[in-house]
Amino acid sequence: QVAAASGHTVVLVDQSDEILKKSTKGIEESLKRVTKKKFADKPEAGAEFIEKTLKNITTSTDAVAVVHSTDLVIEAIVENQEIKNELFKRLDKFAPEHTIFASNTSSLQITQLANSTTRQDRFGGLHFFNPVPMMKLVEVIKTPMTSQKTFESLVDFSKAVGKSPVSCKDTPGFIVNRLLVPYMMEAVRLFERGDASKEDIDVAMKLGAGYPMGPFELLDYVGLDTSKYIIDGWHSLEPNNPLFAPSPLLNKLVEEKKLGKKTGEGFYKYK
């Protein structure tokens, strides 16, 4: 959506036409919300903006078939190393030599993804934040193999879609999650020890630190399975780092399929 709205030609690829129809509808709804604010006094200009943006988007279920005419591939599939590697390996064979590959991963190593291709110098991380149309930040990740030209292209692209890029080396969690995930885990440990209730911890961080959500609300919003997946991955990389220690309570909730907002219950219950 943000790429198309800033004049880029986009091909959105997913597994089925059904998912793509839903995605296109979601983009259209999102654009309507954006135009309500952006073109409050000019509904005609708003309608024109939506039409122009949607014209920039085509869809496909075959990544290999469309990659030959692409300058930049941004992967945002399931957070699984093998599945991502498989996709990049396949696309690497068919993409033009100049094409840059980027991953939107929040927790996996960009270097390991780049190693599944023959274009390690044209590979970097572009980590957008949810919801992407609203959030200004993009973390641009440079591996030891990423060329300066590739890095600059990724920074320029981030600016061209109206975002504020920050740069980070290929370290677990980059900047935001590297600070945020251990903070959320520390909140769980505080609660596990019985030092404070989860409600009071959430209120304290909202009113005392100015956070829009408390750590338990945020964990439920992100998904407890996602949070566990990230911390487990980092723990296997650095088993002696106390910040990456697993949490028995988080593991128990995930085992009970209480994954947060999406399942109706996590640390809190949702109707």
Side-chain angles (χ1 to χ4, degrees):
Q1 180 187 325
V2 296
S6 51
H8 295 83
T9 306
V10 179
V11 185
L12 175 64
V13 179
D14 216 315
Q15 290 174 313
S16 71
D17 289 322
E18 199 184 325
I19 295 171
L20 288 165
K21 274 197 192 100
K22 208 174 153 191
S23 304
T24 309
K25 198 172 166 23
I27 289 171
E28 202 173 335
E29 293 304 315
S30 177
L31 283 167
K32 280 177 189 165
R33 287 194 295 276
V34 170
T35 47
K36 258 189 191 152
K37 283 182 187 167
K38 205 174 169 183
F39 301 95
D41 315 330
K42 305 176 196 153
E44 281 163 24
E48 197 183 316
F49 170 72
I50 292 173
E51 193 188 341
K52 216 165 150 188
T53 302
L54 290 173
K55 263 193 186 146
N56 286 337
I57 303 173
T58 51
T59 61
S60 173
T61 54
D62 187 351
V64 163
V66 294
V67 79
H68 60 79
S69 57
T70 306
D71 298 314
L72 173 65
V73 173
I74 302 176
E75 165 278 317
I77 65 171
V78 63
E79 220 31 5
N80 178 301
Q81 186 86 48
E82 282 87 58
I83 299 173
K84 285 186 194 285
N85 281 354
E86 199 46 55
L87 175 70
F88 280 126
K89 205 176 184 170
R90 204 164 82 239
L91 295 184
D92 188 42
K93 292 186 183 111
F94 297 93
E97 203 172 310
H98 75 276
T99 305
I100 294 172
F101 284 7
S103 176
N104 181 54
T105 181
S106 59
S107 68
L108 299 174
Q109 281 193 303
I110 302 294
T111 305
Q112 289 194 343
L113 297 171
N115 283 341
S116 64
T117 71
T118 58
R119 61 184 76 218
Q120 287 101 329
D121 58 325
R122 284 149 291 152
F123 204 115
L126 272 183
H127 182 219
F128 290 82
F129 286 77
N130 265 331
V132 179
M134 311 303 295
M135 300 288 270
K136 292 292 283 184
L137 187 69
V138 176
E139 291 176 324
V140 182
I141 313 308
K142 189 176 195 265
T143 77
M145 295 100 70
T146 310
S147 73
Q148 189 58 25
K149 188 183 172 201
T150 296
F151 174 70
E152 284 166 13
S153 298
L154 292 173
V155 168
D156 290 345
F157 172 75
S158 305
K159 288 178 182 168
V161 297
K163 301 299 173 197
S164 301
V166 294
S167 162
C168 185
K169 285 182 180 171
D170 190 16
T171 181
F174 315 134
I175 297 173
V176 175
N177 282 327
R178 179 63 180 76
L179 297 174
L180 198 58
V181 174
Y183 147 74
M184 294 194 294
M185 294 302 290
E186 199 52 31
V188 177
R189 290 180 198 116
L190 193 67
F191 173 53
E192 276 177 323
R193 291 195 301 268
D195 293 341
S197 71
K198 52 184 188 288
E199 292 80 3
D200 282 355
I201 295 169
D202 276 353
V203 169
M205 291 314 292
K206 285 189 285 190
L207 302 186
Y211 285 16
M213 278 184 200
F216 293 97
E217 292 170 319
L218 187 55
L219 280 158
D220 278 355
Y221 176 76
V222 168
L224 303 194
D225 51 341
T226 306
S227 306
K228 174 177 156 53
Y229 180 81
I230 293 170
I231 210 73
D232 287 353
W234 294 357
H235 180 62
S236 66
L237 281 176
E238 296 182 31
N240 299 324
N241 189 333
L243 290 175
F244 300 163
S247 148
L249 177 58
L250 182 65
N251 291 350
K252 181 175 173 283
L253 288 168
V254 171
E255 216 171 281
E256 292 168 356
K257 302 274 187 288
K258 294 173 182 170
L259 308 181
K261 267 194 139 161
K262 60 186 171 189
T263 58
E265 188 177 350
F267 283 103
Y268 296 115
K269 280 188 175 150
Y270 303 87
K271 282 177 185 143

